[in-house]
Amino acid sequence: MSALPNIVDIDTQLATQSPQEILRYALETFDNIAISFSGAEDVVLIDMAAKIRPDLQVFSLDTGRLHAQTYRFIEAVRKHYRIDIDIVMPEASKVEQLVKAKGLFSFYEDDHKECCGVRKIAPLRKQLLTVDAWITGQRRDQSPGTRAAVPVIQDDKAFARPDDSLTKFNPLANWTSKQVWDYIRDNNVPYNELHDQGFVSIGCEPCTRPTGPGQHEREGRWWWEEATKKECGLHAVNIAK
Amino acid sequence: MKITMVKKVFADGSPCKKCGEVEEKMRAAGQLQRIDRVVIADEANDQSEGMLLAAEHNIDRAPFFIVERDGQQTEIYTVYFRFVKEVLDSETSEEEEIAEIMNDNDLDFL
Ligand code: SF4
């Protein structure tokens, strides 16, 4: 599958459209496309997509450290929508090496990058080699500092096969958490029971905690670290002369 | 083939850490001599050559590499390990590649 004609132009067109319209475009443009489902409120993508195309490809990254509630939820979603969900696991030898060298909770001492690299990113990379496009639940409001520029469609150069292209869709980019939850309630979408226990953002059990009123959802993840700063962006800055 | 590397300087004049790291890696691997030109994208000056090249090619990150081959479409690489593999025909380790992916992309939603 080759790159789309002009991602920037398509992004401009799609940016004003609803998540359902963006999903329809994605699912009708690409045959070999998969939804990445984290076991949290990104379930709305499955609900929307199932109404457009029943033969959905969905995968979930099983880091081995998810909450029991999340495993139950993934199973409930599988049954509810009658879909296959590929459970993607890290390479056992890599996890063993990490645990042997640094223990089971290295992320509290270093940071989450090494563990996430082994348990999430390496398996995700392998999975994405098998598709032409993927769909995520990434939203701009999840981390205002770093996600100010989440486009609805991206040419994903980081995960593309060598000498090939991969397209990434973020249909919820412009939705707020409230819009997602309104959709869940209005459409009786099943949701992870952890949300009723104060978890806004849900990731691995050791790296996720409930957040209180007024706290940003990012404060519920890797709270012992400073929010990740990416410094590779290129932005002209207006300097007062 | 002509290769241009565009690296960034922050608006306050400080160098971009990642650009420096990439340059250092390339120096250590003897790859720097394959680069024909190094151009600066000065965030304080949107008319600097690097910023103009970034705008022309719709690039919003640095460093990046412009690869021009006779009779072929110009290619832009923003991911260092892809540039190394696909243009310089060299290898990088999986650990390095994953570290680059994690450093440059917001994957906290996963
Ligand atoms: S979220 Fe925590 S436990 Fe899960 S892969 Fe990342 S560092 Fe490891």
Side-chain angles (χ1 to χ4, degrees), chain A residues 125-181:
Chain A
R125 210 176 170 208
K126 217 163 135 194
Q127 185 71 12
L128 292 178
L129 291 177
T130 68
V131 295
D132 297 325
W134 66 306
I135 300 170
T136 83
Q138 192 172 9
R139 294 197 319 274
R140 207 161 285 178
D141 76 346
Q142 282 168 318
S143 177
T146 53
R147 277 181 211 171
V150 179
V152 296
I153 178 172
Q154 286 175 274
D155 182 9
D156 190 343
K157 295 190 188 314
F159 289 104
R161 289 182 285 253
D163 294 307
D164 203 350
S165 66
L166 174 75
T167 303
K168 179 180 173 208
F169 289 92
N170 309 304
L172 304 176
N174 298 323
W175 261 21
T176 60
S177 171
K178 181 176 181 309
Q179 284 174 297
V180 171
W181 280 96

Side-chain angles (χ1 to χ4, degrees), chain A residues 2 10-11 15 19 23 37 42 60 84 108 125 159 166 207 215 236:
Chain A
S2 59
I10 299 167
D11 183 54
L23 268 172
F37 172 47
D42 52 353
S60 291
D84 287 336
Y108 291 142
R125 210 176 170 208
F159 289 104
L166 174 75
C207 301
Q215 275 189 304

Side-chain angles (χ1 to χ4, degrees), chain A residues 4-15 25 151-155 157 167, chain B residues 54-60:
Chain A
L4 287 171
N6 187 332
I7 294 273
V8 177
D9 289 349
I10 299 167
D11 183 54
T12 311
Q13 282 167 28
L14 290 179
Y25 176 86
V152 296
I153 178 172
Q154 286 175 274
D155 182 9
K157 295 190 188 314
T167 303
Chain B
E56 180 187 338
H57 296 291
N58 265 319
I59 302 297
D60 61 0

